[in-house]
Amino acid sequence: FSTDNAIKSSPTVVNQVLFLGSRDGSIYAINTDTGEKKWQVDTGSAVDSSPTVVDGTVYVGSDDENLYAIDATSGERRWVFETDGRIKSSPVVVDQTVFFGSWDNGIYAVDTTTGRKRWNVRTNGRIETSVTVSNETVYATSSDNVVYAFDVFTGDEKWTYEISTGGISTPTVGAVEP
């Protein structure tokens, strides 16, 4: 049993279509009723990022250092956004902006329509997990053992908090009862 091409991406299902990244360097759309492949998009490198599907577009990162926006029905690439590091982070879409992290230590905010960068910031470590967006703040953990909070509109740093071990999980924000 080999895990070289194992699937590490969590599947996303929307409108009876399963979207999935694979370590074989492809993104797949599979009909959930029949198991038939609807389309396949090659990235040329492993896809560990879990796809996010919003308004008919699939957003997914790849080890080829690109974030892809793909038409959910046809598999046609709408745009590709290039970073300087692998993208393991699953994209988060809020108010026509896609947020994600990269192994280049960056957190990015990209316009969902044009694929143009709204802002990006650098941390002192790789972003290996997904970011969380809540209350106009983007939260991220980094391999530098720091939790970061950034303004959702500008990318300005709001605060940081150092933890004793590596930030290897996606942060979650919830309501706290007094």
Side-chain angles (χ1 to χ4, degrees):
F1 177 72
S2 171
T3 59
D4 291 345
N5 285 323
I7 295 171
K8 294 184 178 179
S9 167
S10 298
T12 301
V13 176
V14 176
N15 296 330
Q16 288 78 45
V17 179
L18 181 139
F19 300 95
L20 179 70
S22 174
R23 296 204 50 83
D24 71 1
S26 295
I27 302 158
Y28 293 90
I30 300 168
N31 183 304
T32 59
D33 292 333
T34 65
E36 292 180 33
K37 178 174 70 174
K38 292 177 57 77
W39 52 257
Q40 175 181 349
V41 174
D42 180 39
T43 69
S45 195
V47 180
D48 294 333
S49 170
S50 297
T52 298
V53 183
V54 176
D55 295 333
T57 302
V58 179
Y59 302 93
V60 66
S62 173
D63 279 4
D64 74 347
E65 304 181 351
N66 292 312
L67 181 80
Y68 291 84
I70 301 167
D71 183 278
T73 303
S74 68
E76 179 182 329
R77 292 181 188 178
R78 292 192 170 160
W79 50 259
V80 177
F81 182 86
E82 184 178 354
T83 70
D84 291 323
R86 295 176 179 180
I87 301 172
K88 304 287 189 183
S89 171
S90 298
V92 175
V93 177
V94 177
D95 294 333
Q96 299 173 352
T97 303
V98 57
F99 300 91
F100 65 97
S102 171
W103 277 26
D104 65 5
N105 301 358
I107 297 170
Y108 294 85
V110 176
D111 183 281
T112 57
T113 303
T114 65
R116 291 193 180 122
K117 178 174 62 177
R118 293 184 190 268
W119 56 260
N120 93 287
V121 294
R122 294 279 184 227
T123 66
N124 293 318
R126 291 190 311 252
I127 308 300
E128 299 181 23
T129 64
S130 303
V131 300
T132 295
V133 180
S134 180
N135 298 321
E136 300 182 353
T137 304
V138 178
Y139 300 94
T141 59
S142 178
S143 65
D144 65 351
N145 301 340
V146 174
V147 179
Y148 292 86
F150 299 100
D151 182 276
V152 75
F153 302 108
T154 64
D156 292 340
E157 187 177 287
K158 290 184 171 187
W159 54 262
T160 62
Y161 181 79
E162 189 168 347
I163 54 179
S164 61
T165 60
I168 307 297
S169 68
T170 300
T172 301
V173 177
V176 178
E177 294 294 322

